[in-house]
Amino acid sequence: MGLVDGKKKGPVIAVDGPAASGKGTIARAIAARFSLPHMDTGLLYRAVALNLWRWGGNPTSEFEALRACDDLGFDPSDAELRSEPVSKIASMISSYPSVRTALLERQQDFARQAGGAVLDGRDIGTVIAPDSDVKLFVTASPEVRARRRLKELVARGMNAHYHDVLADIRSRDERDSGRAVAPLKPSPDSLMLDTSDLSPEQAIAEAEKLVRERLPVANER
Ligand code: CDP
């Protein structure tokens, strides 16, 4: 934690990890627990994807994807942001360096706010806020993540099959980890949290423990 205008700055907590690892649940809970603002950075990529999809733009064109970054107003509760076509397009367009650069400032401004912040995504601890006070890297086996994603889809009334969801998770892992810019990988100072055998409550408790160990000042919050 540094100083902003001579005042103590609040903590920045980075929560990275692959699809359906539990990072979003953990980030939201940690933000609430320590009274910090939270940004789900995946939503920015999803908003770009939704823009592109609505115009009928071509996701294999970096140029068209970049245009979809203009005027990025979106409603986080819009169910289409989480639809399967939009998820797939988000994973494709997030590999374009120009798209990542277009979304960089918004995320860094959020991370720099004086009171501190929690951000979750793929590259928070490596690119967006490499000087974060705590970096959590949340993982779970592909099979566990596929079962979680399937449950979410079914709860939303969608018709999905385990093997398709698992194949999709694996191909997204490959795209996210294999891309040249900001690939999904823990930075050497990340604290690893495998949630494969943990309930959401257990995962949150474990994350809170790691934050408190790393950030003694959080014990005052
Ligand atoms: O958890 P899930 O993968 O379903 O979705 P998300 O976190 O909302 O991210 C949507 C897509 O955006 C993913 O496929 C990532 O490739 C990409 N993303 C990224 O590249 N960098 C981030 N900081 C956040 C998301």
Side-chain angles (χ1 to χ4, degrees), residues 106-140:
R106 196 191 272 231
Q107 297 172 75
Q108 290 191 327
D109 285 349
F110 194 89
R112 284 196 199 109
Q113 57 191 304
V118 179
L119 291 90
D120 75 85
R122 301 288 193 286
D123 61 343
I124 309 303
T126 49
V127 176
I128 303 296
D131 54 353
S132 294
D133 300 281
V134 186
K135 298 180 188 179
L136 300 179
F137 196 89
V138 184
T139 60

Side-chain angles (χ1 to χ4, degrees), residues 59-75:
T60 66
S61 157
E62 179 166 358
F63 178 73
E64 290 188 26
L66 181 61
R67 279 189 49 205
C69 297
D70 292 343
D71 303 321
L72 202 62
F74 64 95
D75 169 7

Side-chain angles (χ1 to χ4, degrees), residues 19-20 23 40-43 45-46 90-91 94 100 107 121-124 149 172 176 179:
K23 64 183 184 308
D40 169 356
T41 63
L43 275 183
Y45 293 90
R46 289 173 179 276
S91 165
S94 63
R100 303 200 71 87
Q107 297 172 75
R122 301 288 193 286
D123 61 343
I124 309 303
R149 190 45 53 94
R172 285 178 56 191
D176 286 351
R179 69 184 173 217

Side-chain angles (χ1 to χ4, degrees), residues 79-119:
E80 284 207 286
L81 285 169
R82 304 200 174 277
S83 68
E84 276 315 286
V86 169
S87 304
K88 173 127 193 266
I89 297 171
S91 165
M92 291 167 74
I93 56 95
S94 63
S95 67
Y96 300 139
S98 60
V99 168
R100 303 200 71 87
T101 304
L103 300 179
L104 187 77
E105 200 175 86
R106 196 191 272 231
Q107 297 172 75
Q108 290 191 327
D109 285 349
F110 194 89
R112 284 196 199 109
Q113 57 191 304
V118 179
L119 291 90

Side-chain angles (χ1 to χ4, degrees), residues 129 181 187 193:
V181 186
S187 67
L193 175 52

